[in-house]
Amino acid sequence: MLTSVRNALKGAYPDYKVYLEDVKDNFENPCFFLGLTSVVSQENTNLYKNNCTLHITFFTEKGRIDALFLYDVKDTVTKLFRHGLQVGNRFLHFTSVSTETEGEDADIIFFNLPFIYYDADGQQDEKYLMQHIYNHYETKGDL
């Protein structure tokens, strides 16, 4: 998933570094850092719900305090992910995109993108699989 996010960001910002891990020192600005938090809960015997949040942090160039540029980054990243993201054979729908500007010089942007997906563990038990659905409709009066 993080690789798909990195590829999307590199498509929009080909000259910026995108780090998948925390780099404490010697990182190149401007850049993006990616992180992912998740909480997994069991829904039933074989189904797991994954509540996740994608964290994107943008660091601008040192000394560049340009509000219009930062708003442009916010808009561009929001547009990249507001509908979701294709990850392999899945499409992840983000439930929202929130942004926050921080830092001594207001030069760091934090993006949070929550999403939910489900995973099945092993084979589905046949007694839990839906085989047929029958609907019976009756109408009364004029339609």
Side-chain angles (χ1 to χ4, degrees), residues 20-135:
L20 297 180
E21 68 279 333
D22 276 342
V23 177
K24 303 292 186 208
D25 298 315
N26 300 323
F27 57 88
E28 295 180 29
N29 289 0
C31 65
F32 292 93
F33 282 88
L34 306 181
L36 183 67
T37 56
S38 63
V39 176
V40 180
S41 58
Q42 190 168 6
E43 291 287 301
N44 64 34
T45 307
N46 298 317
L47 189 65
Y48 295 88
K49 181 179 182 181
N50 297 271
N51 280 305
C52 304
T53 302
L54 169 64
H55 305 281
I56 302 173
T57 306
F58 175 74
F59 290 88
T60 191
E61 295 173 65
K62 288 296 179 197
R64 181 177 185 179
I65 304 170
D66 181 352
L68 290 177
F69 170 73
L70 293 175
Y71 279 111
D72 184 56
V73 171
K74 283 182 181 182
D75 289 345
T76 300
V77 172
T78 298
K79 287 176 185 174
L80 275 176
F81 300 111
R82 67 179 168 201
H83 296 296
L85 178 69
Q86 186 71 43
V87 179
N89 63 352
R90 291 184 179 192
F91 189 85
L92 299 178
H93 293 274
F94 297 111
T95 55
S96 64
V97 178
S98 67
T99 63
E100 189 175 341
T101 304
E102 289 189 14
E104 277 184 30
D105 298 323
D107 58 351
I108 302 169
I109 304 172
F110 295 97
F111 300 88
N112 292 304
L113 299 94
F115 63 98
I116 297 171
Y117 71 96
Y118 292 86
D119 272 331
D121 185 22
Q123 296 293 321
Q124 287 283 338
D125 191 340
E126 280 294 319
K127 68 181 178 181
Y128 294 112
L129 294 178
M130 198 177 307
Q131 298 296 322
H132 301 281
I133 299 175
Y134 298 98
N135 289 320

